[in-house]
Amino acid sequence: MNIKNTPVIVQDLKQLTSHYLENVERLSLQQLQWIPSEGEWSLGQMYMHLIGTALHMQLKNAERCLSGNGDPFDEPAKTEAGAKIFEIGGFPPVKIQVPPSPQYTPAQPESKEQLTAGLHQAAAKMEELEARMNESDDYHKAAHPRLGALSAMEWFALTEMHYRHHLLQEERLIQALGA
């Protein structure tokens, strides 16, 4: 994956967004809120996670770096996991589970409209930031808790990688739901 090809990244995210929106549309709110077993998320929670991390973490940090408010890093400061993800162009196809916690476990969606609006908002924010990605430099970075210091371009690309990674979880949840 060429993280410098921002139009392709935006196009890929828009396709993923359309895919997720199709499932939001075809499933009932009850199905979207169904939790298959303790410690797992519902489909709706997974979509809320994608929306929340895109808007409040990934794109917010990309914007922070673009505006020069990131932390200056002269040396690459990615973790080994961060370097690997950008080397292979995405997350490995493994289940990543974080212990349930109030600060990390996403809330259940209140409505299908909430999910639809949030997915559209994240895609629109990607398009808005894409126009500024040519201003990006590798000097200003923001720290990711697991991947290390990332530039605006890396935060931007990470948004699409994250959406793509959750396709496996979505597939598992839809199969468990029998939908």
Side-chain angles (χ1 to χ4, degrees):
M1 173 186 200
N2 177 359
I3 69 165
K4 303 262 184 210
N5 195 341
T6 57
V8 170
I9 292 169
V10 169
Q11 185 59 40
D12 289 349
L13 183 111
K14 287 167 83 176
Q15 287 175 340
L16 290 163
T17 298
S18 291
H19 167 81
Y20 288 138
L21 285 166
E22 285 173 18
N23 283 321
V24 169
E25 180 62 32
R26 76 179 181 88
L27 298 170
S28 69
L29 182 59
Q30 183 180 1
Q31 287 173 309
L32 290 165
Q33 293 175 333
W34 178 75
I35 297 174
S37 64
E38 190 176 332
E40 288 193 66
W41 293 350
S42 68
L43 272 169
Q45 285 174 295
M46 186 199 81
Y47 297 138
M48 293 290 285
H49 167 72
L50 289 173
I51 294 162
T53 55
L55 293 174
H56 304 295
M57 181 184 185
Q58 294 146 351
L59 298 176
K60 187 175 186 176
N61 279 314
E63 199 163 34
R64 185 175 154 225
C65 293
L66 282 171
S67 65
N69 292 325
D71 303 311
F73 285 93
D74 289 323
E75 298 293 320
K78 274 190 212 68
T79 63
E80 190 176 318
K84 185 71 174 169
I85 284 168
F86 285 96
E87 179 184 314
I88 64 173
F91 291 90
V94 295
K95 189 174 181 179
I96 299 171
Q97 193 152 2
V98 178
S101 66
Q103 66 270 22
Y104 190 74
T105 303
Q108 287 282 16
E110 294 174 14
S111 67
K112 290 172 59 164
E113 293 76 19
Q114 179 187 23
L115 294 173
T116 300
L119 287 164
H120 281 299
Q121 185 182 3
K125 187 68 174 176
M126 278 290 281
E127 282 189 291
E128 175 191 322
L129 280 181
E130 193 272 332
R132 295 181 51 207
M133 279 296 129
N134 63 345
E135 304 166 19
S136 176
D137 65 36
D138 288 339
Y139 182 68
H140 289 95
K141 299 185 180 189
H144 183 284
R146 187 167 159 259
L147 307 179
L150 304 179
S151 68
M153 192 71 73
E154 290 165 332
W155 279 108
F156 184 80
L158 187 64
T159 308
E160 185 276 336
M161 290 181 205
H162 188 232
Y163 269 51
R164 191 168 9 111
H165 174 70
H166 278 280
L167 288 170
L168 294 173
Q169 180 183 11
E170 181 193 48
E171 186 178 323
R172 279 194 312 272
L173 289 168
I174 288 173
Q175 285 180 355
L177 188 59

